[in-house]
Amino acid sequence: MGLNTEFLGRVFPATEPYEVGREKIREFVRATGGTPPAENLVAPPTFAVLLTMNAEFRVMFDPGLGLDAGRLLHRDQRFEHHRPIVPGDRLTVTVRVAGVDDVGGNDVLTLSSRVSTVDDEPVCTGTSVIVCPRAAQ
């Protein structure tokens, strides 16, 4: 059985605000093999995955979608940045189901995650593509 196509176009409400802290940025930079600068601390472009991933889980694990969570493969992740993420930002994420497809017997889910400030200033848009091979019948 495939994904519920009624989810296509559905927008999930914004997450609770996440306050970007200086130490969180430093931890992320260290965890990804970098050395955080002493001054002018700006989050690396991939820092946004911390926010988008948790917001996207709400969609992927919604029982009405029909995604087999035990078989997930993360196929693609992209970010389009409108401005850097900096300490003190209070950010929310709104997720839209941009694609619900069947490709070669595999479920393919495309999610578009809009990261913005609590004042609705666009920060970045993430696109995730999830593939879920269907179990043999």
Side-chain angles (χ1 to χ4, degrees):
M1 185 146 135
L3 297 177
N4 183 348
T5 58
E6 292 179 9
F7 271 62
L8 183 61
R10 185 178 293 184
V11 177
F12 283 68
T15 59
E16 291 294 317
Y18 175 92
E19 185 158 347
V20 178
R22 299 178 72 75
E23 196 52 38
K24 289 294 182 187
I25 294 174
R26 287 187 182 102
E27 288 171 359
F28 187 87
V29 170
R30 284 188 206 101
T32 55
T35 303
E39 297 180 21
N40 300 324
L41 189 61
V42 173
T46 54
F47 184 85
V49 77
L50 294 175
L51 294 101
T52 60
M53 182 175 64
N54 286 326
E56 290 170 357
F57 283 165
R58 294 182 305 163
V59 180
M60 294 187 306
F61 299 124
D62 184 311
L65 178 61
L67 189 69
D68 182 353
R71 301 175 62 82
L72 294 180
L73 300 170
H74 195 198
R75 179 179 176 194
D76 190 27
Q77 179 74 56
R78 288 172 275 145
F79 290 101
E80 177 185 348
H81 287 272
H82 310 295
R83 70 153 177 87
I85 296 173
V86 296
D89 277 342
R90 296 187 68 235
L91 304 175
T92 64
V93 183
T94 304
V95 180
R96 180 178 58 84
V97 178
V100 175
D101 300 296
D102 176 324
V103 178
N106 298 303
D107 291 321
V108 179
L109 177 67
T110 304
L111 302 173
S112 177
S113 298
R114 181 181 185 269
V115 179
S116 58
T117 67
V118 293
D119 296 324
D120 206 35
E121 175 191 0
V123 175
C124 72
T125 302
T127 302
S128 295
V129 179
I130 307 299
V131 176
C132 186
R134 289 201 203 117
Q137 302 289 327

